[in-house]
């Protein structure tokens, strides 16, 4: 469902994302954000007019090498490009050779490869010693060795196919920003027409060291207010919904910056599709952080009368201002038990995925501007393109679209 209204914060982040992305087009950025191309262009032009800057001054400068190529004569430009291609091919060959050498050396130290490497040793030395004697010394069965030898062609074929598939996996993995594991990679390849098995994808990803990144330490963001009124748990750890806009959940997480500073992110997720319907980023954890996120959710999904909003016992969610906003929007509040993260597990998991896929092993995001743009881009792409396991590996927007289409079909 398209947003009915866009907050000033959303517009500012959209403009900043476009202006800071070299080579980006209105079409590509708009597709990630889920907005109309013309709408994004209007926001950008309006912001430039307000700042009094031109398009050339607003966008990041091109690489010096690119400028040099553009200014050369046609023949010189061709020679420079050919030299660059040759350089890239040489670098690619060097990297491929180093990768193959490391892979061949590593197999002798892997427990699951010991038997196979002993068979290879027998085959490499069969002209020097009797096969029977080699097998006896190495402690392998001679009939097993001959069976291994007979399957050499089939193994070679399978290994070639695995290498081809590994390159396709790398492409999908790279497009996801290094975030996708074997289930989502399998779903992406199947949609492209590849008939693949998830277990095979997982095996190849292990073999070729294609993997995700683990999270680091956490910072406490939930500080309960002992004077806040009691709120019942209307979810009971059931984070599913049969229709969009009926059950929402929210939480706050920290975003580490260089120098030990933090920004804070408040989110509102729709339980039906796990879509991020509202969010707010600030350098504080005051009540405004969570009220801004809920107001965005209301403008995104329209009327919220009768909906439920579930959270932990953070003081922000128990404040008078947040309670008053819930009454204003017709939203019933729900809270899990104090000190029990499982009662808000879906939000915890969402924030873990966000930081794993945006930090990718780094300790922090750098400065505040870079952090805001990075997280904003991930949040919008999460809705429009990122596959979610709870949706059968469909993006939240696509999952909702198919739900509405099915309802219209049944109604007809």
């Amino acid at each position: 469902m398209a947003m009915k209204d866009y907050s000033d914060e959303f517009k500012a982040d959209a403009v900043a994302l476009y202006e800071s992305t070299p080579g980006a087009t209105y079409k590509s950025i708009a597709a990630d954000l889920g907005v109309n191309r013309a709408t994004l262009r209007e926001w950008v032009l309006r912001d430039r007019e307000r700042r009094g800057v031109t398009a050339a001054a607003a966008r990041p400068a091109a690489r010096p090498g690119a400028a040099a190529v553009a200014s050369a004569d046609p023949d010189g430009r061709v020679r420079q490009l050919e030299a660059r291609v040759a350089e890239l091919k040489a670098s690619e060959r060097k990297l491929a050779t180093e990768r193959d050498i490391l892979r061949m050396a590593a197999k002798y130290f892997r427990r699951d490869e010991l038997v196979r490497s002993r068979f290879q040793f027998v085959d490499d030395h069969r002209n020097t010693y009797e096969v029977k004697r080699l097998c006896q010394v190495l402690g392998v069965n001679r009939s097993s060795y001959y069976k291994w030898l007979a399957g050499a062609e089939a193994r070679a074929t399978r290994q070639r196919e695995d290498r081809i598939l590994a390159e396709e996996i790398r492409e999908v993995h790279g497009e996801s920003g290094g975030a996708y594991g074997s289930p989502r990679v399998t779903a992406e390849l199947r949609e492209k027409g590849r008939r693949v098995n998830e277990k095979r994808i997982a095996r190849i990803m292990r073999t070729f060291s294609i993997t995700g990144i683990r999270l680091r330490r956490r910072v406490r963001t939930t500080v309960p207010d002992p004077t806040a009124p009691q709120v019942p748990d209307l979810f009971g750890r059931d984070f599913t919904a049969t229709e969009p806009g009926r059950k929402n959940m929210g939480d706050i997480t920290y975003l580490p910056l260089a120098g030990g500073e933090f920004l804070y992110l408040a989110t509102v997720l729709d339980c039906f599709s796990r879509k991020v319907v509202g969010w707010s980023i600030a350098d504080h954890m005051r009540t405004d952080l969570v009220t801004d996120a809920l107001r965005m959710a209301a403008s995104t999904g329209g009327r919220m009368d009768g909906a439920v909003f579930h959270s932990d016992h953070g003081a922000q969610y128990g404040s008078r201002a947040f309670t008053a906003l819930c009454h204003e929007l017709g939203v019933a509040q729900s809270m899990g038990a104090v000190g029990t993260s499982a009662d808000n597990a879906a939000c915890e998991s969402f924030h873990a995925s966000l930081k794993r896929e945006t930090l990718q092993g780094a300790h922090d995001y750098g400065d505040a501007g870079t952090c805001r743009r990075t997280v904003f881009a991930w949040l919008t792409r999460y809705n429009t393109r990122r596959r979610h396991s709870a949706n059968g590996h469909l993006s939240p927007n696509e999952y909702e679209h198919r739900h509405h289409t099915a309802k219209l079909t049944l109604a007809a």
Side-chain angles (χ1 to χ4, degrees), residues 155-230:
R155 281 197 307 277
T157 300
R158 185 165 57 249
Q159 289 170 357
R160 285 195 299 271
E161 293 173 349
D162 283 354
R163 284 194 293 271
I164 293 172
L165 184 54
E167 291 305 315
E168 296 180 38
I169 292 172
R170 287 188 192 281
E171 182 179 351
V172 172
H173 190 255
E175 288 174 353
S176 72
Y180 280 4
S182 58
R184 292 188 177 92
V185 169
T186 303
E188 190 75 29
L189 290 175
R190 284 174 178 171
E191 187 166 294
K192 292 181 178 181
R194 243 328 198 141
R195 297 182 63 182
V196 289
N197 181 281
E198 185 182 329
K199 290 183 178 180
R200 184 186 179 197
I201 296 297
R203 174 179 60 79
I204 293 176
M205 290 181 72
R206 286 194 303 271
T207 301
F208 289 83
S209 301
I210 306 173
T211 185
I213 305 296
R214 293 184 179 273
L215 288 176
R216 299 184 180 274
R217 67 179 181 88
R218 298 180 56 198
V219 172
R220 189 183 184 196
T221 55
T222 302
V223 182
D225 182 357
T227 65
Q230 293 296 315

Side-chain angles (χ1 to χ4, degrees), residues 242-255:
T242 57
E243 291 288 333
R246 295 298 84 202
K247 292 173 66 177
N248 301 285
M249 49 190 172
D251 200 2
I252 300 173
T253 192
Y254 73 99
L255 305 172

Side-chain angles (χ1 to χ4, degrees), residues 102-165:
L102 289 172
R103 189 177 302 132
M104 287 188 292
K107 74 178 182 180
Y108 290 97
F109 299 94
R110 289 174 51 187
R111 182 173 299 173
D112 60 333
E113 293 281 358
L114 279 176
V115 174
R116 268 176 267 178
S117 56
R118 279 183 281 179
F119 285 158
Q120 187 64 57
F121 183 88
V122 171
D123 197 52
D124 291 342
H125 297 82
R126 60 185 298 183
N127 294 327
T128 306
Y129 305 97
E130 290 183 351
V131 171
K132 179 179 179 180
R133 181 60 178 159
L134 287 167
C135 290
Q136 287 175 341
V137 172
L138 294 176
V140 296
N141 190 291
R142 189 166 34 150
S143 62
S144 297
Y145 161 70
Y146 285 119
K147 184 177 179 180
W148 173 85
L149 192 63
E153 185 176 347
R155 281 197 307 277
T157 300
R158 185 165 57 249
Q159 289 170 357
R160 285 195 299 271
E161 293 173 349
D162 283 354
R163 284 194 293 271
I164 293 172
L165 184 54

Side-chain angles (χ1 to χ4, degrees), residues 18 24 47 54-55 88 107 192 200 294 318 336 373 377 379 391 395:
Y18 172 79
D47 182 75
T54 63
L88 290 173
K107 74 178 182 180
K192 292 181 178 181
R200 184 186 179 197
L294 188 61
R373 289 191 298 271
L379 289 171
N391 298 339
S395 70

Side-chain angles (χ1 to χ4, degrees), residues 231 233 237 310-313 335-344:
V231 176
D233 183 354
R237 299 189 183 179
H310 183 80
S311 68
D312 57 26
H313 277 264
M335 288 186 179
V338 176
T340 305
S341 61
D343 288 348
N344 206 22

Side-chain angles (χ1 to χ4, degrees), residues 380-395:
T380 51
R381 187 180 176 84
Y382 172 92
N383 284 340
T384 58
R385 300 192 180 188
R386 186 185 181 278
R387 297 178 183 276
H388 201 297
S389 56
N391 298 339
H393 294 298
L394 297 175
S395 70

